[in-house]
């Protein structure tokens, strides 16, 4: 199963607050589910740890970019003034190291910042204007005041419990955790295409 | 910006003589003048360099049809010719590029030049290419035909000259003199008057009084140890100014404390270059000079100078207390060196003064040694024919009998403007039926006359004239008459009915008669005929005429200041150093050149001392009305003119310079300044009782320097010759030069190391160098408003600082500020080895060459002006607007070796790098080394006193090296660590111990003084 | 109101009440689609006109040359560089607030950081105009950047101007990135909340499909912190480098080692002043009293007080070092020319605005009075402009050789351009208020959640 | 409810972003390439002259030396374009009635110059001096190319500053014996140029006032 396919949500639940979301996730984890993802309007404290997502390694990219930018800038300045076209400027030495520093620093910062922004976007899987989850009714509140949890199709525990009874159990568990809605998105159907059969059951 | 700019920015096509689009504006390169040029010189490759620094060169190459053998495109030719002013010739060498005169230099073989030039000479090229010159024969302003004038002349001749009157400029030309002679013979009834306001009159009359004959005074300062200038601007306003300045300076060059140095006393009203140079300066009103001369004579006699009995009765004459000490000291100084001094009086002084001075020189034994007398160089000088009143009288006779003047020919000059106010010349002319004016411009006189005939500029003429000392000087044209003008001789020949001939042939024919035994070709090459100076004549004092003159001189003038609360002042009128009597007022170079001692540009103003100004309650630019009472029933005349304060000016007097307030047809000259001639009378150069009233209005003046104090900063160092002998001053000076600790490694120096040394002792601020720089380097003129915005473009400026030293300047006025003394300092790019301007330029537009030049690469400059901010000498100039006037005729006078800068570009002195590179290339091509004095900068070449030295520090023969080793060589702002390549020789004065306030002047002077 | 929210209510809070996520979102997102108020429209019209005038002045300058300005020799730099430094300085508060205060975990920054970042961008845009405009040949400005030219020539990097070019471009780019990254979640919120479909599509495109998934938040969080960490030394470096335009020369009044910190302090002073000038009206117009509380005003006022003291110290230090150095030129410049020279009035005005006027903020009441804050802020802005006037014009007008001393008088073009940039700045700012939520909704919601969390703990 | 954006927008976004990146790179690269193109430098572009003067014929067939017409190259900054009379030196006798040299005859009569079109034009702020280059052993062909093979002369070299600098930094590869200056075909023997460098002492001048004044 491809990465995208295995990440495709099979089960999604909507909560009204961060804490509630965390409870719901605990419930799912209780039933052995591991391939979880959450969608929140803002960072919910403890969420990342609960889902076992490691801290971002993006810093290393940024460091590399900074070194490249700064080093490149200094080298260029050195080459211009010492190698390519040395000129006597006010009796200053060709290799005027102190004078080269400001630009070196600025270029380091520039490259680093650009790297930070771009990697944040790319690593976050963006730009991606369409995503399966957008097809879900009411998901648009995920950026406002709703907190969603999703179980990926690739979840190892899923096959074991994915039957009528299992679904009922999990739904009730989530309901107990305070889920407003629980959606089962039929796995049999083709992924990545709008208009799934939406087998909904009332949590209450 | 288009991608093209990666290569070189292309903006507008660079028009030039080689370019085919016509300047639309009047005075542009219209076809006519252009074709004339091509005939003379296919301006060919010279188009390069004319266009701006960011535009394409002309796309065409126009080779000669028939190339003159001597011409090689790209290599300048020099022709010897001369400028003539008030009848006296100054020899010049004019550089010609592909037939276009582009630069004027002095002629070393000419006595009035000695290789130097005045600012006026340098500007001649611009006058030649002045688009506003008269272009066609006109009658009452509408184009007319020459034949009409021929008929008029023929008619006048037919009547044997009856009713014919000619007005010529005073002339020394053997050719013209011969023609006038023939004319008088052929047409006895014709009248001839010579007129020019400032040609020597008084001195000749004075010599007649003293020596019984009209004689012209010739001075020789080479052997003069003491010089007393009585209201005489010997180095500024004199036909021999350049030569005299050189002679005086040669005796003032200081090598060390032990040098022999002459002593110069200046006694004058306004501040002049001579006053700047002087060791002692007394500021007195012009009318006091006569008395002072007499006092000096008397003091000399008391001092035991042998004098005939006739002069005996002067012995009692004593000077008033405030100057007695001075007179005594000067007299003793003079008596100390019998036969080795010069006492000179200015032309503005009445004959009596000149007579007194002649007597003094005779008694001191100077006559025949340092002071000589020759027959006047100018034809009939001092004679009745030089009185403009003749003309008016002749015309007025009209009313009486049937005689009078029916045909008036004014050949040159501008009498309507320059005539003394007490002569109503203009309306006299208007009463003449057929009047003709021959001249360069449609000026006041041209407008008063019926016919206007375009004249010839000196650089368009064949002819000859005499220098002040009489040396015959040939004139030859550099270019065909741009507007088909005619010379004075042409008209005279026409009158005499001579068969038509080319001016050159006429010269060839007349030459043997004029200068027997002299080869014309040789003379044209040399620019002067050797040994043609007039012989000196020895004449004994004629006491019968001298005595009354002395008596007249001895009269103590009234103190006008006391009359009525100081509203009555003495009015001194003198020619402007640059526009003279108004003949050069349409030359923008000369207008924008700051007046040497007031720093005023684009204007003339009423110069007065701070004390007097305070009495009148005026400051710089406050307008005052000057009124002089009418004489003999004539109405009084008033001139409203702004004031300018001149520290060192005599109290109770006002100095006005002539040449402004023009209202002829010249657009540039018209309407600037006030016309001093309106207050001028033939009687004397000064009017004892002019009323001055502050009008309460203000007229902004364009003064090129506002702050006059050095604030005690190490800028101009000066001291006495005596002090230079002592340690204190030497140590102080040594602290302003030499190596300084630096963090930076030394740069390897390849080739010669160019450097300059400027001697502040011999510089008198005449500003010839500034003009030479402008002419050589195509620096633009920006106009009065932009000067007021402090945007003048001179690469080289003369800073004038006001200091006060013991005995520097003194006068009756006790006011300290007024007693201040001026020092001048040429300031140009110092070519610092650690140039602050270079390291702040973001685009390498200014950098350092291996031979020590601070290079300015115009085409790389983007105009951040950061370099100017960081230049402690503020010598960088910026093109605030687009100043390249490609459409104007003036473009032809530009130097093709120097880029014409574009808008938004920084520029500055380059040590004339184009000359350096040219010499380098010539030397390389000839596989020879560069000579020690081979490279001359334009300023150096022009300097009359040789104050500027330039050369390579690596060449032991180069004088600049020796200058560097003198004890008083120093670097300006040495404390800033810029290591300038330009160094100065401190200003050394040689004061009379009897007048020097300090005990022994052990240390240098201080300039903190007056602000 | 939820129970915990009832706990804290005093005005010292950075958030009055504990509005729910929904309430906050509705209140703050709606600033972009709520009908425009009259005040806004009038302001927009005025700024539009001034911007037009700017366009005319700039065209004139480029066509005829900077001779149209009052600059001369010796005063070769005039309004152009004064305005440049002034605007750049103003641009500093934004990044200072959003970056440094973020790292210092100052909560009161949250509701105003987007606002000030916007201000930064627009101020830097004004500043960027001048280095270009003041060139004699602006069309060659690209020569300041290194590129393989057929002339084989390069920029001269010993000069402070290429440093400037690098610093300002970097500062602008980084500010944009920082600003945009912070905006993404709010854009997503607008994508999902905006009334019309067109708006939602436009916002949607710029939101890049943000879903707020854990993995996105994971990188987003680190990137945001890193950008803040990078922007912090950057904001300090930029004005330091600008100050080197002067400090690296030998001109008396410029040649001073104190300049970098002195300039940064001044920058933040003027920056906060401008923040207040803008935020007080905005707060009133959009009725944001609950998110921009007296607590914020108080903090800003304190910043004004502190930085104005740093600036005052610098002035004193300048005088002292001048006197102590014994350098005759420096002494004349600092102790004679500035306080008593041609422009003495400007000197004393500067001292009053930057050092005296701010002292009212010792009083808590003054710190919280919008009127006083606004008035003092205007004074400070003027004072800081004149500080640059002192440094640039006054120093240049009298440097080493008295012979070239001369006075500088601005022309109507100078004044027109200054006014024009003010208008253009306002124009951009007013537009900004309508286009994106100028109070960061997401961050505010998060902060609220954390505060509620803490309060529950207590 | 359907999502705001359909799935294809993801691909679309990538394409658009790619295009933008490409445009940016292009905008910078294009002018740089252009500036180096013959179109911008004016190379390879035969110039039409008032008289169809054929250098091939005069140089190769008649074997006239460059310096016969461009006589000032050894002593002046400008190599010089021959005066009308120089042309007539031969064309009085031969081909003196060809219609093609009518402008020449007109010039001779009117005394007005022939308006030749400039082929090698440097900007006005560049001061090139033929004499010193020729004296240091830089041949005509180095800058002007095989004029003897051109019907109408065109500019061969770029004549950009960097091109000048190439030689100014290291002149040796362009040295030749002074007596072979005008040769179009001369090629150095091994080591010959090093020897010439010793004799002529060419300098490597790269400071600005070498060419800009």
């Amino acid at each position: 199963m491809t990465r995208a396919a295995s990440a495709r949500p099979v089960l999604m639940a909507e909560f009204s607050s961060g804490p509630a979301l965390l409870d719901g996730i605990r419930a799912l984890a209780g039933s052995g589910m591991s391939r979880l993802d959450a969608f929140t309007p803002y960072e919910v404290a403890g969420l990342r740890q609960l889902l076992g997502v490691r801290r971002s390694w993006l810093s290393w990219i940024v460091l590399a970019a900074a070194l490249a930018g700064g080093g490149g800038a200094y080298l260029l300045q050195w080459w211009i003034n010492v190698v390519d076209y040395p000129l006597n400027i006010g009796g200053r030495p060709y290799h005027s190291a102190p004078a080269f520093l400001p630009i070196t620093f600025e270029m380091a910062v520039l490259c680093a910042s650009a790297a930070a922004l771009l990697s944040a976007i790319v690593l976050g899987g963006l730009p991606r204007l369409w995503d399966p989850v957008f097809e879900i009714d009411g998901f648009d509140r995920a950026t406002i005041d709703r907190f969603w949890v999703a179980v990926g199709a690739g979840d190892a525990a899923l096959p074991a419990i994915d039957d009528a009874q299992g679904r009922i159990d999990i739904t009730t568990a989530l309901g107990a955790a305070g889920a407003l809605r629980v959606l089962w998105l039929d796995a049999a159907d083709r992924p990545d295409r709008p208009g799934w059969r939406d087998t909904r059951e009332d949590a209450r | 910006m288009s991608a093209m700019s990666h290569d070189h920015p292309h903006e507008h096509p660079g028009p030039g003589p080689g370019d085919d689009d016509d300047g639309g504006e009047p005075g542009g390169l219209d076809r006519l003048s252009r074709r004339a040029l091509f005939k003379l010189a296919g301006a060919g490759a010279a188009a390069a360099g004319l266009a701006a620094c960011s535009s394409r060169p002309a796309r065409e190459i126009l080779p000669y049809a028939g190339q003159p053998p001597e011409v090689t495109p790209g290599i300048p030719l020099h022709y010897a010719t001369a400028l003539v002013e008030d009848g006296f010739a100054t020899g010049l060498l004019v550089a010609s590029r592909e037939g276009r005169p582009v630069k004027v230099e002095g002629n070393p073989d000419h006595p009035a030049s000695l290789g130097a030039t005045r600012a006026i000479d340098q500007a001649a090229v611009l006058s030649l290419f002045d688009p506003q010159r008269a272009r066609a024969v006109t009658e009452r302003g509408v184009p007319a035909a020459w034949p009409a004038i021929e008929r008029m002349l023929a008619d006048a001749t037919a009547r044997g000259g009856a009713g014919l009157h000619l007005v010529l400029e005073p002339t020394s030309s053997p050719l013209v003199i011969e023609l006038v002679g023939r004319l008088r013979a052929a047409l006895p009834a014709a009248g001839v008057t010579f007129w020019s306001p400032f040609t020597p009159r008084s001195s000749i009359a004075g010599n007649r009084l003293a020596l019984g004959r009209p004689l012209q005074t010739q001075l020789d300062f080479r052997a003069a140890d003491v010089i007393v200038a009585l209201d005489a601007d010997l180095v500024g306003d004199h036909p021999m100014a350049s030569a005299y300045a050189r002679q005086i300076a040669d005796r003032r060059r200081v090598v060390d404390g032990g040098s022999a140095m002459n002593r110069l006393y200046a006694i004058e009203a306004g501040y002049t270059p001579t006053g700047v140079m002087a060791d002692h300066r007394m500021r007195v009103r012009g009318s006091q000079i006569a008395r002072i001369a007499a006092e000096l004579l008397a003091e000399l006699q008391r001092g035991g100078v042998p004098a005939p009995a006739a002069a005996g009765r002067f012995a009692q004459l004593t000077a008033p207390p405030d100057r007695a000490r001075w007179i005594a000291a000067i007299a003793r100084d003079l008596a100390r060196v019998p036969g080795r001094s010069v006492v000179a009086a200015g032309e503005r002084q009445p004959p009596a003064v000149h007579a007194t001075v002649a007597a003094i020189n005779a008694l001191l034994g100077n006559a025949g040694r340092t002071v000589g007398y020759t027959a006047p160089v100018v034809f009939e000088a001092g004679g009745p024919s030089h009185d403009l009143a003749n003309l008016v009288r002749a015309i007025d006779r009209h009313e009486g009998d049937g005689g009078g003047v029916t045909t008036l020919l004014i050949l040159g000059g501008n009498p309507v403007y320059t005539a003394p106010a007490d002569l109503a010349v203009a309306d006299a002319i208007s009463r003449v039926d057929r009047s003709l004016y021959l001249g360069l411009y449609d000026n006041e006189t041209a407008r008063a006359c019926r016919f206007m005939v375009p004249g010839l500029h000196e650089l368009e003429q064949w002819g000859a004239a005499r220098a002040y000392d009489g040396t015959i000087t040939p004139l030859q044209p550099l270019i065909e008459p741009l507007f088909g003008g005619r010379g004075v001789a042409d008209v005279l020949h026409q009158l005499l009915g001579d068969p038509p001939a080319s001016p050159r042939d006429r010269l060839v024919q007349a030459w043997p008669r004029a200068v027997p035994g002299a080869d014309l070709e040789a003379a044209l090459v040399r620019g002067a005929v050797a040994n043609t100076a007039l012989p000196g004549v020895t004449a004994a004092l004629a006491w019968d005429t001298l005595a009354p003159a002395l008596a007249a001189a001895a009269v103590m003038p009234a103190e006008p200041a006391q009359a009525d609360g100081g509203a009555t002042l003495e009015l001194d009128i003198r020619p402007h150093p640059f526009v003279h009597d108004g003949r050069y007022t349409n030359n923008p170079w000369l207008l924008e050149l700051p007046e040497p001692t007031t720093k005023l540009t684009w204007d003339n103003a009423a110069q007065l001392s701070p004390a007097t100004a305070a009495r009148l309650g005026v400051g710089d630019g406050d307008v005052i009305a000057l009124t002089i009472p009418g004489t003999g029933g004539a109405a009084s005349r008033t001139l409203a003119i702004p004031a300018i304060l001149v520290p060192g000016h005599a109290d109770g007097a006002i100095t006005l310079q002539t040449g402004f307030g023009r209202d002829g047809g010249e657009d540039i000259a018209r309407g600037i300044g006030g016309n001093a001639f309106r207050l001028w009378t033939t009687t004397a150069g000064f009017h004892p009782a002019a009323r001055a009233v502050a009008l309460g209005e203000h007229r902004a003046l364009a003064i090129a320097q506002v702050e006059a104090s050095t604030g005690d900063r190490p800028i101009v160092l000066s001291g006495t010759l005596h002090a230079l002998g002592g340690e204190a001053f030497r140590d102080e000076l040594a602290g302003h030069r030499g190596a300084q600790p630096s963090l930076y490694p030394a740069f390897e120096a390849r080739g010669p190391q160019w450097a300059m040394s400027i001697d502040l002792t011999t510089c008198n601020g005449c500003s010839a160098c500034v003009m030479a720089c402008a002419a050589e380097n195509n620096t633009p003129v920006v106009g009065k408003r932009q000067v007021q915005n402090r945007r003048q473009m001179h690469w080289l400026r003369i800073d004038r600082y006001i200091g006060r030293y013991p005995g520097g300047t003194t006068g009756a006025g006790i006011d300290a500020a007024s007693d201040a003394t001026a020092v001048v300092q040429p300031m140009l790019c110092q070519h610092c080895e650690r140039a602050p301007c270079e390291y702040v330029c973001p685009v390498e537009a200014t950098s350092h060459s291996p031979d020590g030049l601070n290079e300015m690469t115009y085409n790389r400059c983007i105009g951040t002006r950061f370099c100017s901010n960081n230049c402690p000498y503020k010598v960088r100039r910026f093109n605030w607007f687009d100043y390249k006037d490609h459409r104007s005729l003036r473009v032809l006078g530009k130097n093709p070796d120097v880029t014409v800068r574009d808008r938004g570009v920084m520029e500055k002195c380059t040590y004339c790098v184009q000359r350096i590179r040219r010499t380098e290339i010539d030397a390389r091509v000839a596989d020879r080394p560069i000579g020690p004095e081979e490279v001359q900068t334009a300023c150096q070449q022009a300097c009359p006193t040789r104050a500027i030295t330039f050369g390579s520090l690596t060449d032991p023969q180069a004088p600049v090296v020796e200058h560097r080793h003198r004890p008083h060589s120093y670097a300006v702002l040495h404390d800033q660590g810029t290591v300038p390549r330009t160094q100065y020789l401190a200003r050394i004065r040689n004061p009379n111990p009897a007048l020097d306030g300090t005990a022994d002047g052990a240390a240098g002077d201080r300039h903190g003084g007056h602000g | 109101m939820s129970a915990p929210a009832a706990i804290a209510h005093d005005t010292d809070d950075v958030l009055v009440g504990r509005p729910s996520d929904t309430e906050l979102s509705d209140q703050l997102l709606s600033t972009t689609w709520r009908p425009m108020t009259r005040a806004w429209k009038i302001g927009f019209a005025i700024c539009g006109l001034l911007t037009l005038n700017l366009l005319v002045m700039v065209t004139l300058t480029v066509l005829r040359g900077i001779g149209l300005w009052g600059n001369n020799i010796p005063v070769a730099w005039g309004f152009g560089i004064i305005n440049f430094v002034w605007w750049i300085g103003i641009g500093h508060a934004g990044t200072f607030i959003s970056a440094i205060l973020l790292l210092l975990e100052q909560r009161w920054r949250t509701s105003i950081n987007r606002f000030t970042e916007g201000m930064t961008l627009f101020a830097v845009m004004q500043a960027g105009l001048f280095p270009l405009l003041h060139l004699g040949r602006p069309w060659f400005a690209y020569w300041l950047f290194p590129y393989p030219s057929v002339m084989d020539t390069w920029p001269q990097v010993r000069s402070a101007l290429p440093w400037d070019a690098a610093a300002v471009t970097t500062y602008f780019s980084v500010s944009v990135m920082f600003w945009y990254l912070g905006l993404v979640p709010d854009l997503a919120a607008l994508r999902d909340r905006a009334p019309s479909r067109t708006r939602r599509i436009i916002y949607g495109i710029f939101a890049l499909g943000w879903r707020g998934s854990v993995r996105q938040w994971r990188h987003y969080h680190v990137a945001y912190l890193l950008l803040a960490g990078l922007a912090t030394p950057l904001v300090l470096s930029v004005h330091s480098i600008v100050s080197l335009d002067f400090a690296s020369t030998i001109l008396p009044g410029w040649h001073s080692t104190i300049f970098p910190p002195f300039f940064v302090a001044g920058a933040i002073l003027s920056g906060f002043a401008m923040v207040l000038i803008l935020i007080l009206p905005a707060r009133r117009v959009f009725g944001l009293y609950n998110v921009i509380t007296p607590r914020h005003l108080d903090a800003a006022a304190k910043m004004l007080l502190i930085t104005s003291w740093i600036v005052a110290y610098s002035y004193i230090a300048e005088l002292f070092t001048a006197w102590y150095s014994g350098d005759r030129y420096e002494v004349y410049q600092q102790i004679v020319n500035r306080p008593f020279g041609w422009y003495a009035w400007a000197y004393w005005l500067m001292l009053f605005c930057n050092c005296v006027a701010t002292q009212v903020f010792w009083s808590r009441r003054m710190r919280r009075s919008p009127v006083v804050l606004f008035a003092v802020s205007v004074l400070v802005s003027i004072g800081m402009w004149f500080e640059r006037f002192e440094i640039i014009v006054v120093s240049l007008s009298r440097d080493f050789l008295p012979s070239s001393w001369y006075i500088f008088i601005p022309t109507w073009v100078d004044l027109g351009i200054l006014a024009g940039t003010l208008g253009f700045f306002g124009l951009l700012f007013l537009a900004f208020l309508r286009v994106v939520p100028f109070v960061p909704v997401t961050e505010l919601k998060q902060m609220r959640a954390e505060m509620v969390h803490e309060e529950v703990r207590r | 409810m359907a999502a705001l954006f359909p799935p294809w927008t993801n691909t679309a976004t990538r394409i658009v972003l790619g295009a933008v990146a490409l445009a940016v790179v292009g905008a910078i690269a294009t002018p740089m390439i252009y500036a180096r193109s013959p179109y911008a430098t004016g190379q390879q572009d035969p110039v039409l002259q008032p008289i169809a003067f054929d250098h091939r014929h005069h140089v190769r067939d008649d074997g006239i030396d460059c310096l016969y017409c461009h006589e000032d190259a050894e002593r002046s900054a400008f190599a010089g374009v021959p005066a009308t009379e120089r042309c007539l030196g031969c064309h009085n006798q031969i081909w003196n009635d060809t219609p093609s040299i009518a402008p020449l005859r007109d010039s001779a009569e009117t005394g007005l110059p022939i308006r030749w079109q400039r082929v090698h034009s440097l900007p006005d702020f560049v001061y090139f001096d033929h004499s010193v280059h020729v004296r240091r052993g830089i041949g005509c062909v180095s800058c002007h190319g095989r004029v003897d093979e051109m019907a109408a002369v065109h500019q061969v070299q770029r004549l950009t500053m960097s091109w000048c600098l190439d030689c100014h930094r290291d002149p040796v590869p362009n040295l030749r014996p002074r007596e072979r200056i005008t040769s179009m075909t001369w090629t150095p023997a091994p080591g010959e140029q090093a020897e010439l460098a010793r004799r002529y002492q060419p300098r490597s001048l790269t400071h600005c006032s070498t060419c800009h004044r």
Side-chain angles (χ1 to χ4, degrees), chain B residues 926-979:
Chain B
D927 286 314
R928 60 169 176 79
I930 299 174
E933 292 181 85
E934 193 176 349
V935 181
Q936 280 202 319
T937 62
C939 49
Q940 171 190 21
Q941 196 169 4
C943 180
T945 65
R946 294 274 188 274
I948 302 175
T949 320
F950 182 78
S952 169
L953 295 175
T954 58
D955 183 345
Q957 269 80 43
V960 68
V961 176
E962 183 271 328
H963 278 236
R964 289 284 175 118
H965 290 110
R966 294 186 184 174
H968 58 310
S969 178
Y970 75 98
V972 174
L973 299 180
H974 178 71
D975 52 3
Q976 292 303 306
T978 52
V979 197

Side-chain angles (χ1 to χ4, degrees), chain B residues 45-72:
Chain B
L50 285 179
C53 73
S54 68
S55 62
R56 260 211 173 110
R59 303 298 309 175
E60 286 185 326
I61 303 177
L62 306 178
Y64 288 87
Q67 179 161 349
E70 71 277 12
V71 172
T72 304

Side-chain angles (χ1 to χ4, degrees), chain B residues 4 8 31 146 160 197 242 307 320 353 386 423 438 444 533 716 794 800 833 877 918 939 953 961 975:
Chain B
M4 312 270 281
H8 30 70
R31 288 213 172 282
W146 175 247
S242 296
V353 175
H386 277 250
L423 292 180
L438 173 87
E444 294 85 344
V716 180
H794 292 146
R800 188 264 287 109
E833 288 174 20
R877 298 289 173 256
R918 172 176 290 275
C939 49
L953 295 175
V961 176
D975 52 3

